Every structure is written in structure tokens, then in C-alpha cells.
Amino acid sequence: MPKKTVAVLIILFFLPVVFLLFLYPAKHNYDPLQIVDNEVAELQFFNTGTQDQVKLEDQITILGFFGNNPLNYATAASNLKELVYDKFKGFKGFQIVILLPNGTEAQAKALHDEINNYEDMRFWYYTYGTPNDIQAVFNSLDNKLDLDSDLSSPEVFIIDKDLAQRGRLDDRTEREMEKNAPIVPLYSYDCIEVAEIKNKMNDDIRILFTEYRQKRKGDFDSSTRRGNNIKAKD
């Protein structure tokens, strides 16, 4: 058998295996990603500047706030593009949505041009609203930080298809648990911190995709998640 044919057969055999390994969460994070907040506000008062209407419901969304000066978030946007968007853009129902104040369209385009390497950016959206509408969406999230005065934040949030915010109610390592260290939750992800995106956020997104895949197959048991979903705001 020609070497080229053998190589093609090996690739065809291992591609599905690699794909499954990519989806399969790390063992220590196999439990479903916990619900942090059940009432994330929908984007009904926002617009994209085109006829396209962006919504959170029925999508797995990474939601960000880049404020009045989105070009200041070029590093954050680049990290999201390279470390998150490029990995998950092929998954059905995945999107990244950045909320911006009305009037920042030109800066958003400049930012988009800066991070886009002529790739498929169909699932990356900038959507615009009033300061009050942006603040209302942010206030509907469970978080430990406030928006900056320019309506921006380096933190991004994972929102599921049912308008629920996902995260970790207990982000301690096993060693920290053994030492009975105080519980530290993870409700959002700092997109300036590369390690946090690569080691935590990407793992959590994979877990969420695994949950929905199991639901489609009828294999998902929500009892574990319900047992773990304590009220994060208490």
C-alpha cells in the first residue's frame, strides 16, 4: 500500500479520536458546569448596526463589555479571538458577543480589523445600546466587580442557551480543599489573563458543550447539577 494512502488512513482514523479528546473535559472538572445566575437579561434593546438581531437565548455565548473605548481592549479581544473563538467557532450555537455603547461603531470596526486575520468571524458580534441598557445587562449577571466608568470590564461571562450564567461556585484546587482554604468562586473570566482563559475558561466551555451533547443523546443526568447549584448570591 502506498505510503500516502497509509498516511491518509491514519489521519482519518485518529481525527475523530482527537475530536472526542478535545470535547472530553478534564477528569477533575467532569461535573456539569454550575449555574451561577438564572436570570441573565436578554439583548432586546440592542442593535448590531445591520439587520442582524443578536440574542442570547438558544446560544452558548461568551459575553463581554468593552465600553466607550473598545480599542483599549485590543489585547483582551485578541486573547478571546485566538484562545477561545478560534477553538469553538465550528460548534453549533456558539458565539462571542461584545456589548458597546451607541456611537462606538467606528472604534469597533477598527478593533475588528485589528484582530481579524481574514478568518471566519461570522459568530463574533458587536452590538450597541444605551449606557442604561448595558448596565442593566451587567447588573443581571452575578459578579464581584463593577463596570468601569466607561462601561467596560476585562471580565467575560459564559451564558448558556437558557439565559443562565455558568461558572464555578468553588474554584479551589484539590490541595486548597485539603487545607480547608476558604471557598473562592469563579463567576467570570479575566480575558487579559492568558492562563485563566487557557486553563479554566476553555475547560469550562468544553464541559458545557459536553452537557448539551449528552442532553441530545438522552444521557445527561441533571440531578448532580441541581445538587450543586447553591445560591451563589447568598
Side-chain angles (χ1 to χ4, degrees):
M1 185 178 295
K3 292 183 178 180
K4 185 176 181 180
T5 303
V6 173
V8 171
L9 290 174
I10 290 174
I11 291 172
L12 291 175
F13 176 79
F14 282 105
L15 269 179
V17 176
V18 172
F19 179 76
L20 289 174
L21 288 175
F22 173 77
L23 280 180
Y24 194 81
K27 184 176 180 180
H28 68 279
N29 271 337
Y30 187 66
D31 287 340
L33 190 61
Q34 293 161 321
I35 292 176
V36 173
D37 189 315
N38 274 306
E39 300 178 349
V40 178
E42 184 54 279
L43 307 179
Q44 60 189 39
F45 300 115
F46 289 79
N47 71 89
T48 62
T50 68
Q51 293 182 348
D52 296 332
Q53 182 64 40
V54 176
K55 66 175 186 175
L56 303 179
E57 189 175 14
D58 297 326
Q59 306 289 320
I60 292 177
T61 304
I62 307 304
L63 184 65
F65 301 78
F66 286 178
N68 287 309
N69 301 290
L71 280 170
N72 291 345
Y73 280 80
T75 298
S78 180
N79 287 343
L80 282 178
K81 163 69 170 55
E82 296 177 7
L83 301 176
V84 179
Y85 181 83
D86 287 349
K87 293 181 183 298
F88 295 100
K89 64 183 179 183
F91 290 77
K92 185 177 181 180
F94 174 78
Q95 63 181 3
I96 289 182
V97 178
I98 307 299
L99 301 191
L100 296 169
N102 294 323
T104 59
E105 289 83 355
Q107 280 201 57
K109 184 180 184 306
L111 175 63
H112 194 72
D113 291 343
E114 183 170 337
I115 66 172
N116 183 12
N117 297 319
Y118 302 101
E119 297 178 6
D120 182 2
M121 295 289 284
R122 288 177 297 162
F123 312 109
W124 180 298
Y125 300 100
Y126 302 95
T127 186
Y128 307 92
T130 67
N132 286 341
D133 290 335
I134 292 172
Q135 190 68 61
V137 173
F138 189 83
N139 290 345
S140 74
L141 298 161
D142 198 336
N143 56 80
K144 299 303 181 185
L145 299 173
D146 294 326
L147 279 178
D148 289 343
S149 58
D150 68 346
L151 300 172
S152 71
S153 173
E155 302 289 317
V156 294
F157 304 80
I158 298 176
I159 314 299
D160 72 15
K161 297 182 179 183
D162 301 309
L163 297 179
Q165 177 185 348
R166 298 296 191 102
R168 306 182 185 190
L169 299 181
D170 186 351
D171 190 38
R172 293 176 298 174
T173 64
E174 291 183 2
R175 179 172 294 183
E176 289 171 336
M177 291 180 183
E178 291 172 357
K179 293 182 177 180
N180 291 320
I183 293 176
V184 178
L186 182 66
Y187 299 157
S188 58
Y189 306 80
D190 188 340
C191 51
I192 302 296
E193 297 292 333
V194 171
E196 184 161 298
I197 295 176
K198 292 179 66 174
N199 300 330
K200 295 183 179 182
M201 185 178 180
N202 279 348
D203 205 26
D204 289 353
I205 296 172
R206 291 189 187 103
I207 291 169
L208 188 55
F209 273 112
T210 298
E211 174 185 324
Y212 279 106
R213 189 175 72 253
Q214 290 178 340
K215 284 180 178 179
R216 289 195 301 269
K217 295 170 61 178
D219 297 331
F220 180 68
D221 180 7
S222 63
S223 60
T224 301
R225 187 179 71 188
R226 285 197 297 269
N228 288 331
N229 283 341
I230 61 174
K231 291 185 178 180
K233 293 184 179 180
D234 288 351

